[in-house]
Amino acid sequence: MGIRDRIRNKVNNKEIVASKNSYLEDPNKALALITQILAKRYAENERATALNELEELIKVDLPTILENLQLPDVIERLQRLEKLGFRLGKNERTELFQGRKVVGLGGLFSAGKSSFINGLINGGSKLMLPENQSPTTSILTYVMAGAKDKQNVVVSNQKLEIDADALQALSHEFEEQYHLSLSRFIDCITIETTNFPAEISDEIVLLDTPGFNKSTNKHDKTEVSDREIAFKQLVKADYLIWLVNAEAGAIKEEEVKFLAELDTVKQLLVVFTRADKRDKKNIQEIIRTAEQTLADHDINFYAVTAYDSRAGKEFDDNGYINNFFKSIATEPNSDQEQDSKELSADLLELQTEFANEMKQLRANLKELTKQIKTEKNILATKSLASLSLDIVLQVDRLGRNKAQLINLQEKVKRRVKKIEQG
């Protein structure tokens, strides 16, 4: 059954859940919204295709090519290349954000990220983000200063302005109502507000993400999926504010592991939300413990503080949050051209590794050949000959892998060019 059929069945069967949202009350209006989104989604977009192809080249093709190369740090190299590929995807901000810096807000599910943003935006008096998104149906949401209050969905790098009801409908409620998740069709949401805090530079964009959960079931694959989604979203940020529910009492082990892996951000600020739920002494102890935990795991951080979103006030008036934003405003923007150069340099270095290993193997083969000529023991000669054959086969495999790497480099170069051209 198609999307339109599902929506029309809702109309004919009158299976409408009571709601104050016009898109959830009126299936015809919901259908119109879906039609607009899909029309943009299936428009030709070479850049989006190039990004997906680049990701597959690095995550799928490259590991196969390197499997015969004896590199002790192969995992670290692949992770670095993957992160460089992710960072190249930030080129979308050239059009959407005019070169502004992106501050991501992350944390476990229900850590209070959307409430924190709403608290920053003048107490949330004019801007309300959808706060009931689930990790798997979430949509990246960017909040920035604007000449007027408006919200857009971005589909295939094209903006589609939507009203406040449509924004609120983009949550798991929409999926429950119509059995359709729009998150797989929408790249992100951008919210422009005239209520952007004076303390935060207009050159800064806030990125709201839904977070992830820690599953207690070892056979449950949801945790892995949620974590991967969160990582892929937050790697798009230049800076990170990590939010932790103060009621949890401490930053959790899975959060520490996540932050240790997410090393692409320039600065990290940890904020304990719902500070009003704990007394002053308890909050101070929670902050001290978190600082020690981060230091023990060699995670660099700007500061650890606490915040009461309801009152729109930082704990003890420390001023860490405002100072964090001020420090960001003075830093230069990310250099995408440099990311592209580093990606190319890393791939060339791998090509050199192939050449060096093949050179060493040929030298070993030469020595073995000398030994075979002088060896008088038949069994020893057979053993040396077997080793020689293994080396010949290994050199052949590496030669074919090196040729595949060169071919992959050319493919990467073409994809990067399309990405940079937008």
Side-chain angles (χ1 to χ4, degrees), residues 31-152:
L31 179 59
L33 175 64
I34 293 169
T35 301
Q36 286 181 294
I37 290 172
L38 293 183
K40 289 189 177 292
R41 178 65 180 178
Y42 294 113
E44 184 177 356
N45 187 350
E46 290 188 3
R47 183 185 170 279
T49 301
L51 270 172
N52 291 332
E53 290 173 347
L54 177 63
E55 182 178 355
E56 185 173 350
L57 285 169
I58 295 174
K59 291 181 69 174
V60 180
D61 296 353
L62 186 58
T64 303
I65 292 172
L66 300 180
E67 63 185 4
N68 293 312
L69 191 62
Q70 301 301 310
L71 281 177
D73 60 344
V74 65
I75 294 176
E76 290 78 6
R77 291 192 188 214
L78 287 170
Q79 287 175 339
R80 172 177 159 76
L81 286 163
E82 188 175 338
K83 287 171 184 175
L84 285 170
F86 277 140
R87 273 158 48 179
L88 282 168
K90 292 179 182 180
N91 186 52
E92 66 194 33
R93 298 184 325 206
T94 303
E95 293 183 38
L96 298 177
F97 311 141
Q98 294 80 47
R100 301 183 204 185
K101 305 175 184 79
V102 175
V103 178
L105 284 94
L108 296 181
F109 193 46
S110 297
K113 293 172 290 296
S114 297
S115 297
F116 178 76
I117 293 182
N118 283 327
L120 286 179
I121 310 299
N122 202 14
S125 58
K126 290 188 178 181
L127 172 69
M128 291 303 292
L129 295 169
E131 295 184 18
N132 55 349
Q133 298 190 78
S134 65
T136 54
T137 61
S138 66
I139 302 171
L140 280 172
T141 304
Y142 294 94
V143 182
M144 67 198 79
K148 67 175 185 175
D149 294 326
K150 67 177 181 178
Q151 46 279 321
N152 307 284

Side-chain angles (χ1 to χ4, degrees), residues 239-256:
Y239 306 86
L240 176 63
I241 297 178
W242 189 260
L243 294 123
V244 184
N245 188 342
E247 293 180 278
I251 188 167
K252 297 182 180 180
E253 182 182 353
E254 61 264 32
E255 296 178 90
V256 175

Side-chain angles (χ1 to χ4, degrees), residues 381-394:
T381 301
K382 287 183 177 180
S383 178
L384 291 171
S386 178
L387 286 173
S388 297
L389 179 60
D390 288 342
I391 291 176
V392 169
L393 293 174
Q394 178 66 357

